[in-house]
Amino acid sequence: MAFIELRDIEKSFGKNQVVKRLSLDVGKGEFVSFLGGSGCGKTTTLRMIAGFETPSAGSVKVDGRDMSGIAPNKRNLGMVFQNYALFPNMTVRRNIGFGLRIAGAKGAEVESRVDEMLGLIHMEEFAHRYPHQLSGGQQQRVALARAIAVRPSALLLDEPLSALDAKIRVKLRDDIRAIQQRLGITTIYVTHDQEEALSISDRVAVMREGRIEQIGSPFEVYNRPATPYVASFIGTLNLLSGAVADPSKGTLLVAGRELRSSGPIEAPAGAEVKLSLRPESLSIGAGQAGHNRIEGRIESVKFLGSVVRVVVETGGQRVFMDTFNDPSAPPPPVGSSVELSFPPEALKAGAAEAASEPERAAAAEEG
Amino acid sequence: MTALAEREAAGPARESEPGPRAGHPRADVKRSLSWLGLVPFFLFAFAFMLLPASSILVGSFQDAEGAFTLANLANLFRPSILNSYIVTIKVSATTALLGGLLGFLIAYAITLGGLPKPLKSFMSTFSGVASNFAGVPLAFAFIATLGRMGVLTVFLRTAFGIELYDAGFNLYSFWGLSLTYTYFQIPLMILIIEPALEGMKREWREAAENLGATSLQYWLKVGLPVLMPAFLAAFILLFGNAFGAYATAYALTGGLINLVTILIGAQVKGNVLHDPNLGYALALGMIIIMTACILAYSWLQKLSSRWVK
Ligand SMILES: Nc1ncnc2c1ncn2[C@@H]1O[C@H](COP(=O)(O)OP(=O)(O)OP(=O)(O)O)[C@@H](O)[C@H]1O
Ligand SMILES: [Mg+2]
């Protein structure tokens, strides 16, 4: 049985319905992320679980217990907020011990639990500092320790890292995951950063306009996106247009070349369709027998660290290709002609609906 | 930029300039003129703080002929004068506490309570005006409302048969005066405390709740401690505001309640009691009390705001 159970929950603010018949089961000890763009209802859903918002309809159950009518301070769910909600008038030690004291724990008991928590977040030497004397990353560690100290039945985190800079964000997210796994605590994590969601979650729930569009393991949502929206939201996606050649065989014409897609196409021959293609499925050269091949001119080469992103112009369309950095084989120079190849399974037809999204992603890449 | 940094920055360019020490005079001029910006402050402090305070100090120790005396200060300990200090402190403290409490509750409703937006901005504007509405007009407004023949007094009598004045109320008494002062103390409190309340993060409250705290526990352990420095500052301001008030009390009670300010007025311009030097001594007493208040305040402030940046 699921540990956290959301059944058809809805939430409206006035006429504005922001969560729409959302259902979700989170297993005990599982780490689930809510991933989605701004305003899609992630925070609202999390706040309904925490009890700060009341669902307009539907039910929230935690550990088999119906939460409706139970005040937030009686739910025993740990919450970490986006903008460090540490109590400014208390030291780190006091902040972490707050919930324990409220629960009526005695001095020695509080102190030993606080020490344990300080060890967990590696901040023993900061115990006597006030929040304003800490960096953002340190404050979020303390907020995490404060939430965990009371042994909550589940942990709810609302974009806990979004106010931090990139390096600390990566370090801290790994720490959060490590602590979560060590304690085996059921966790819901809200983020709009897909890399973050993919890297630390057992499952990712991709949200859009108050609904869960797809939920699955990071591997599933990335490699088998259920909808064009999910495909475009997660990872970088090439969007091409082509004309259907043979719908039953799944072949198309792109820039004068016949390409094979992953399967039959639901459009008549000659129709213009959108095609999607992950940058990492492309490689330079002719590739294996049966692979699709396109030719183009290298427009730019971007070095992203372990990955090199090559932008190739082919028949008036622009294609991103990601390859691993290879010190012995520098990418071909800008302006030269290349042949690219990719397996037919990587080419998916019929992504027309999501046209605007990846274009935006592509524009962001450019900038 | 400091003069030194200025000189260093100008250093390499100096070679090309005609005068061998061209960089120096400019920097020196800059440094020597930098104090000019402080002139208005010192002029102000001198003209409006130091000068009056020292003339009060000097006058307190002089008799009518200008000779040195301690008699004025000794007179401060006459029972009637001691009593007027006590009454003044009582009125100030009472109205600061009362106005402070009510003002806080209203400010709370404005900021954290769910007061509708239009009402919010109206309250802010109204507070700005009302906190400055004092003196003769305020006294008259209260007489017209709550005096023996005031609108409200008469209304209560005719509509409900309630005789305010028989029930023990008297506008021209200590409590009447306090009530009148409260009229400008409340909006002043609203103006002072509103920014502090605005600064209270919703997340603090929610984090406390999430950790099992009740509303009361949140206020005792987080809300009030966080607001304490602002409360202290507000109390001192309200206290001082009432402590120095003169016209309202004079117009309302015509000297029935002997506030220190009214006594001073009588010494300085009165024809019966005319003794300006006693007036100086009375004012000196007020300055000493206010200074003590401010010292106590800054000590408490330090205690209550250890955690502030
Ligand atoms: N208290 C409220 N009153 C009215 N509308 C609200 C309230 N809270 C949220 N909304 C609206 O509900 C929608 C969803 O908000 P929510 O905060 O859940 O989004 P989100 O997915 O967390 O977005 P973000 O990534 O920007 O935090 C938004 O359109 C927001 O304006
Ligand atoms: Mg949010």
Side-chain angles (χ1 to χ4, degrees), chain B residues 152-167:
Chain B
L152 194 60
T153 317
V154 172
F155 174 75
L156 285 176
R157 181 187 305 143
T158 51
F160 301 104
I162 299 172
E163 288 285 357
L164 267 187
Y165 279 72
D166 290 350

Side-chain angles (χ1 to χ4, degrees), chain A residues 13 16 18 36-45 53 158-159 190 192:
Chain A
F13 295 106
N16 184 15
V18 300
S38 188
C40 72
K42 306 181 295 288
T43 298
T44 306
T45 306
E53 306 283 1
D158 189 2
E159 307 206 25
V190 165
H192 61 247

